[in-house]
């Protein structure tokens, strides 16, 4: 069945029970697979909104504050279909975190994020191993097609 | 009369929002933010905006602190603060604040201290205006919910 964008009210026994920590959440999309995402952003507001936007579209999402936390999480065996990561992180930068994650053999879709794209940042981040690079904030116009693509590839 | 009160307040809210959109103070991203609010998190917008105020005030304090240093030269640190401010402002749809941050960042990249100071003053002004208007919006919303609650006292 092709994935559809439809508004689904998740009550007990809803279609995607495992996808959200909040029960009774109005989810804007359902997918063929149970999709997971990791958000890496040291700005609390951005981290909260990125997480909630993805959850609103039915993606089970974990958010961490630092590159080190992201690398540790992946190294411990956690797997994610999608990783959204800010370029500017304290201590371990976004590109460094991506390099280390890719070096572990992770083939998840990695989307780099920034407040404003510069040519140098774009080169550095793609060289580190991201698949796509976007300016914040997360906009359904661009992140929903990415989710759909990942869902179709599983 | 009480029902009219809630309706009037609803109209006031929409008028204020329309004004803020028209002035370019807020953009479409604020609507996206409102769409994340639902029955499971009825205060989501207010909570997120409160985080934004808290973070923004810290950043403004840091920026002013940097520029007031006699021997200031850490434009890189300034760039990091501005990047954070731009990201969070974009995320809630604070368009004018974000645009001032972009101009501020350009002055910072040119090591233009006078330009940075001018930009900081403008940024503080824009942020202050935004904060006041959002407080006004939330106040009207609170009043509207109270008025609607009084209108239907038996409905739970």
């Amino acid at each position: 069945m092709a994935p559809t964008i439809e508004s689904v009210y998740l009550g007990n026994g809803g279609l995607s029970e495992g996808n959200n920590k909040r029960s009774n959440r109005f989810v804007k999309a359902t997918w063929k697979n149970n999709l997971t995402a990791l958000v890496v952003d040291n700005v609390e507001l951005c981290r909260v909104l990125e997480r909630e936007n993805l959850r609103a579209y039915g993606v089970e999402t974990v958010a961490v504050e630092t590159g080190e936390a992201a690398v540790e999480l992946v190294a411990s065996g956690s797997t994610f279909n999608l990783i959204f990561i800010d370029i500017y992180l304290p201590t371990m930068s976004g590109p460094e975190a991506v390099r280390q994650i890719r070096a572990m053999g992770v083939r998840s879709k990695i989307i780099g994020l920034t407040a404003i794209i510069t040519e140098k940042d774009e080169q550095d981040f793609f060289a580190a191993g991201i698949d796509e690079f976007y300016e914040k904030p997360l906009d359904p116009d661009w992140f929903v097609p990415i989710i759909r693509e990942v869902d179709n590839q599983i | 009369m009480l029902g009219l009160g809630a309706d009037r307040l609803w109209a006031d809210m929409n008028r204020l929002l329309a004004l803020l959109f028209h002035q370019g103070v807020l953009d479409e991203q604020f609507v996206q933010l409102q769409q994340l609010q639902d029955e499971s998190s009825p205060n989501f917008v207010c909570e997120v905006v409160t985080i934004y105020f808290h973070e923004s005030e810290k950043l403004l304090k840091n920026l002013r602190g940097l520029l007031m240093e006699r021997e200031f030269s850490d434009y890189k640190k300034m760039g990091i603060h501005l990047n954070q401010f731009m990201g969070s402002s974009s995320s809630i749809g604070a368009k004018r604040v974000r645009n001032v941050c972009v101009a501020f960042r350009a002055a910072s990249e040119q090591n233009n201290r006078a330009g940075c100071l001018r930009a900081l003053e403008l940024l503080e002004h824009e942020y202050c205006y935004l904060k006041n208007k959002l407080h006004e919006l939330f106040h009207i919303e609170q009043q509207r919910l109270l008025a609607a609650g009084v209108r239907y006292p038996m409905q739970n």
Side-chain angles (χ1 to χ4, degrees):
Chain A
M1 187 178 81
T4 56
I5 302 296
E6 58 186 310
S7 295
V8 175
Y9 189 80
L10 290 182
N12 290 331
L15 286 171
S16 306
E17 278 178 284
N19 276 10
N20 266 294
K21 299 288 182 229
R22 274 200 259 167
S23 61
N24 300 326
R25 199 198 206 292
F26 201 74
V27 174
K28 299 180 189 186
T30 55
W31 309 102
K32 290 184 294 190
N33 301 283
N34 281 338
L35 299 174
T36 57
L38 172 65
V39 159
V40 192
D41 200 318
N42 74 307
V43 179
E44 184 188 357
L45 177 86
C46 297
R47 191 167 65 245
V48 165
L49 287 178
E50 284 151 11
R51 184 191 66 208
E52 294 307 315
N53 261 299
L54 289 166
R55 285 182 177 174
Y57 280 88
V59 179
E60 187 178 340
T61 306
V62 168
V64 299
E65 211 173 319
T66 64
E68 291 92 334
V71 169
E72 205 175 301
L73 200 53
V74 172
S76 72
S78 295
T79 58
F80 303 96
N81 303 113
L82 297 137
I83 299 174
F84 292 82
I85 179 165
D86 187 83
I87 191 169
Y88 290 114
L89 298 169
T91 57
M92 183 187 287
S93 69
E96 181 54 33
V98 170
R99 262 190 290 276
Q100 292 195 23
I101 288 170
R102 286 296 192 210
M104 287 189 250
V106 169
R107 296 173 67 177
S108 310
K109 186 85 154 179
I110 301 183
I111 296 98
L113 296 173
T114 186
I116 187 164
I117 292 179
T118 66
E119 201 178 316
K120 185 179 183 315
D121 284 348
E122 197 169 16
Q123 285 168 358
D124 288 349
F125 225 172
F126 273 108
I130 59 168
D131 296 296
E132 307 202 35
F133 195 22
Y134 284 95
E135 282 184 358
K136 298 180 189 183
L138 255 63
D139 187 324
D141 283 349
W142 61 258
F143 78 75
V144 169
I146 290 174
I147 296 172
R148 187 184 291 120
E149 186 193 335
V150 167
D151 190 45
N152 283 337
Q153 284 171 352
I154 296 172
Chain B
M1 281 301 288
L2 293 170
L4 279 175
D7 290 343
R8 191 173 297 126
L9 287 163
W10 179 251
D12 287 346
M13 263 180 67
N14 285 329
R15 242 192 317 273
L16 178 54
L17 269 174
L19 174 68
L20 294 174
F21 280 110
H22 178 71
Q23 289 177 332
V25 173
L26 293 177
D27 65 18
E28 167 67 23
Q29 190 57 31
F30 191 77
V31 176
Q32 303 271 14
L33 181 65
Q34 290 176 309
Q35 289 174 352
L36 289 175
Q37 183 160 295
D38 60 17
E39 283 173 9
S40 68
S41 56
N43 299 314
F44 182 74
V45 175
C46 188
E47 286 166 5
V48 163
V49 171
T50 301
I51 296 173
Y52 174 71
F53 289 156
H54 178 73
E55 287 184 340
S56 299
E57 276 153 39
K58 234 176 11 179
L59 287 168
L60 282 169
K61 189 178 169 189
N62 289 344
L63 287 166
R64 189 156 272 283
L66 279 173
L67 278 169
M68 291 299 114
E69 281 174 17
R70 193 192 294 200
E71 304 291 335
F72 166 70
S73 62
D74 201 345
Y75 286 98
K76 187 179 174 189
K77 196 179 222 175
M78 181 170 290
I80 292 171
H81 291 323
L82 286 170
N83 207 63
Q84 289 184 352
F85 210 157
M86 274 192 283
S88 57
S89 298
S90 301
S91 298
I92 67 151
K95 185 174 161 188
R96 275 204 333 221
V97 169
R98 193 231 177 222
N99 289 345
V100 176
C101 286
V102 171
F104 195 155
R105 189 172 172 275
S108 167
E109 284 179 339
Q110 289 160 13
N111 291 5
N112 178 354
R113 190 172 178 174
C116 286
L117 272 164
R118 279 194 296 274
L120 175 62
E121 277 168 22
L122 184 55
L123 185 58
E124 285 168 339
H125 171 79
E126 285 295 339
Y127 169 75
C128 199
Y129 183 77
L130 171 71
K131 186 176 177 182
N132 285 340
K133 288 300 167 190
L134 288 177
H135 272 318
E136 195 180 326
L137 191 70
F138 294 142
H139 178 71
I140 298 172
E141 166 72 357
Q142 270 179 345
Q143 296 300 309
R144 185 186 72 82
L145 290 172
L146 280 171
V150 170
R151 184 187 179 188
Y152 304 110
M154 299 307 290
Q155 285 188 0
N156 288 320

